[in-house]
Amino acid sequence: MGSFPASLKTLGDREGLPAVVHLSEGRLSIQAGEESIGEWNLDEIQLEPTPTGYRMAAEGEQIILEFTDKDAFQAELSSKGKREWSLPDTGKLLSPVDKGIAFAERRWGGLLPEWAFTRVMFGVVIGALALTIIFPGLVSAFLLIAGLLMVMLGAVVFTDPMLASKWLPGAMAPVHVLIFGVAILILGVLLGVIAS
């Protein structure tokens, strides 16, 4: 049986709940203080590595587990025969990507939701850059529309603080939405000029 101190977060949370993750006899359980959060067979859950731990999907819900010693947990998990979502042998290849994601999360984590700092989003960004090179005119039009919509959203949440608190993640403020929208508009215009 292995017990691992961790911080438990739900998607979008900036603060974690101190917890202990137990691995024993093909089961994973999470305990926060005296309270049991849950217990699952390893076959019933999916684990995706993150820079500081794992994203766990169970029973239609997702939580983030951040470990003080991720390597020890990973070794124990491997000994139980649990496969991760990502291929374990790609760890060395994607290590620079994970470091970059961790840096970005430390820098801008308060402004963006948790899912923005994942390998999947990194892949989306790389794909978007490739599309920009192949179809600059089309991407320019998309950026102009997206930027305009973001400026409109920024204007709406700027005038209604209640909507801003419901719609905007983390510490993002309406002014951030407006700045991002204008930046996207400018990028779309520049890309359109370059494309033509």
Side-chain angles (χ1 to χ4, degrees):
M1 176 176 174
S3 297
F4 306 92
S7 177
L8 175 66
K9 294 181 180 179
T10 57
L11 293 180
D13 284 349
R14 306 307 322 158
E15 296 294 324
L17 174 70
V20 178
V21 177
H22 303 283
L23 284 174
S24 177
E25 299 177 0
R27 295 184 67 79
L28 181 144
S29 62
I30 303 173
Q31 190 168 357
E34 298 297 318
E35 297 293 321
S36 174
I37 303 297
E39 185 173 343
W40 304 269
N41 282 325
L42 289 176
D43 295 336
E44 298 173 345
I45 62 174
Q46 293 178 311
L47 295 169
E48 176 190 8
T50 65
T52 56
Y54 286 85
R55 176 177 281 112
M56 183 179 110
E59 300 171 0
E61 300 291 329
Q62 289 196 13
I63 57 173
I64 307 295
L65 298 170
E66 295 182 345
F67 293 95
T68 53
D69 189 354
K70 179 184 173 184
D71 293 336
F73 177 80
Q74 189 170 7
E76 181 73 14
L77 192 64
S78 297
S79 73
K80 303 294 183 196
K82 175 66 179 171
R83 299 273 303 173
E84 305 165 353
W85 283 351
S86 302
L87 296 174
D89 52 351
T90 61
K92 290 182 181 175
L93 180 64
L94 293 176
S95 179
V97 171
D98 288 340
K99 288 179 182 174
I101 291 171
F103 173 78
E105 187 170 12
R106 283 193 303 273
R107 187 80 187 259
W108 298 291
L111 298 177
L112 297 170
E114 190 82 31
W115 54 262
F117 304 101
T118 61
R119 290 179 182 175
V120 172
M121 285 306 295
F122 176 78
V124 168
V125 169
I126 296 299
L129 290 175
L131 284 175
T132 301
I133 293 169
I134 299 169
F135 305 109
L138 185 63
V139 172
S140 171
F142 174 78
L143 288 176
L144 289 172
I145 293 169
L148 183 60
L149 290 174
M150 188 167 273
V151 168
M152 290 170 59
L153 172 67
V156 169
V157 295
F158 198 81
T159 58
D160 191 345
M162 185 64 84
L163 286 179
S165 66
K166 288 182 180 179
W167 290 356
L168 300 182
M172 183 176 274
V175 70
H176 296 126
V177 179
L178 288 170
I179 290 170
F180 288 151
V182 170
I184 291 171
L185 275 172
I186 292 171
L187 185 61
V189 169
L190 290 175
L191 191 57
V193 169
I194 292 169
S196 60

